[in-house]
């Protein structure tokens, strides 16, 4: 049901060559993160800051959908992370985090090497603690910059 809703609402079109893959919401910012091997501290910084942003955007008992295309998906509780979590950088599959009501989230496109952060609460949270990997903005509100 969640995937069906996601496909419909965001016009998700999986492709290795058609980008951006979704109808990017307004407001949104899409970052290029590159295909290089990232230094381990940058990857750790990404996960730590992403978690902080999710915690800031959600109330204490909030949860999100964690969707890993073609893999098992799960509820994600940012305030109750106890170690490793699986969905994150899109490393061969789409990586998607969505608020329960789909009002904000994160869409990682593995072949475009981009991450679209959308919805005001999450955008504001990411501005406070942007990951090092989020240095190059390629689109705002779905439009090239």
């Amino acid at each position: 049901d969640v995937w069906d809703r996601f496909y419909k609402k965001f016009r998700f079109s999986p492709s290795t060559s058609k980008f951006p893959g979704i109808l990017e919401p307004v407001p949104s910012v899409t970052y290029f993160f590159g295909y290089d091997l990232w230094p381990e501290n940058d990857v750790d910084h990404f996960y730590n800051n992403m978690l902080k942003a999710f915690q800031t955007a959600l109330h204490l008992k909030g949860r999100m959908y964690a969707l890993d295309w073609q893999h098992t998906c799960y509820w994600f509780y940012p305030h109750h992370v106890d170690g490793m979590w699986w969905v994150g950088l899109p490393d061969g599959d789409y990586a998607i985090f969505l608020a329960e009501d789909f009002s904000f989230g994160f869409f990682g496109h593995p072949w475009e090497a981009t991450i679209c952060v959308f919805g005001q609460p999450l955008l504001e949270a990411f501005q406070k603690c942007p990951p090092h990997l989020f240095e190059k903005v390629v689109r705002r509100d779905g439009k090239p910059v």
Side-chain angles (χ1 to χ4, degrees):
D1 179 54
V2 174
W3 275 112
D4 290 342
R5 288 173 40 216
F6 178 75
Y7 269 83
K8 185 176 181 178
K9 179 174 176 70
F10 294 95
R11 299 185 193 157
F12 181 43
S13 179
S15 171
T16 59
S17 59
K18 181 183 172 190
F19 308 134
I22 61 168
L23 177 63
E24 294 178 332
V26 175
S28 66
V29 178
T30 302
Y31 301 89
F32 178 76
F33 63 83
Y35 284 110
D36 298 325
L37 293 174
W38 306 290
E40 190 171 326
N41 60 336
D42 280 351
V43 174
D44 290 344
H45 187 261
F46 167 80
Y47 279 103
N48 289 335
N49 285 21
M50 191 167 93
L51 183 61
K52 286 178 193 171
F54 290 155
Q55 289 169 338
T56 300
L58 282 172
H59 58 81
L60 193 56
K61 293 184 181 183
R63 64 184 184 177
M64 302 176 77
Y65 295 109
L67 307 177
D68 191 359
W69 199 59
Q70 304 297 325
H71 296 282
T72 302
C73 303
Y74 57 95
W75 282 115
F76 180 64
Y77 295 83
H79 292 283
H80 304 284
V81 172
D82 218 10
M84 240 359 243
W85 32 297
W86 300 280
V87 177
L89 283 168
D91 58 357
D93 291 307
Y94 296 97
I96 305 157
F97 285 91
L98 293 169
E100 208 168 343
D101 64 359
F102 285 29
S103 62
F104 63 85
F106 165 116
F107 174 79
H109 197 300
W111 297 287
E112 187 184 29
T114 57
I115 292 175
C116 175
V117 178
F118 60 90
Q120 203 60 44
L122 194 55
L123 284 168
E124 288 174 7
F126 266 96
Q127 287 173 352
K128 293 176 185 174
C129 53
H132 295 148
L133 299 175
F134 284 11
E135 294 176 355
K136 182 179 178 188
V137 175
V138 294
R139 287 185 295 276
R140 288 188 188 280
D141 300 336
K143 296 181 173 88
V145 292

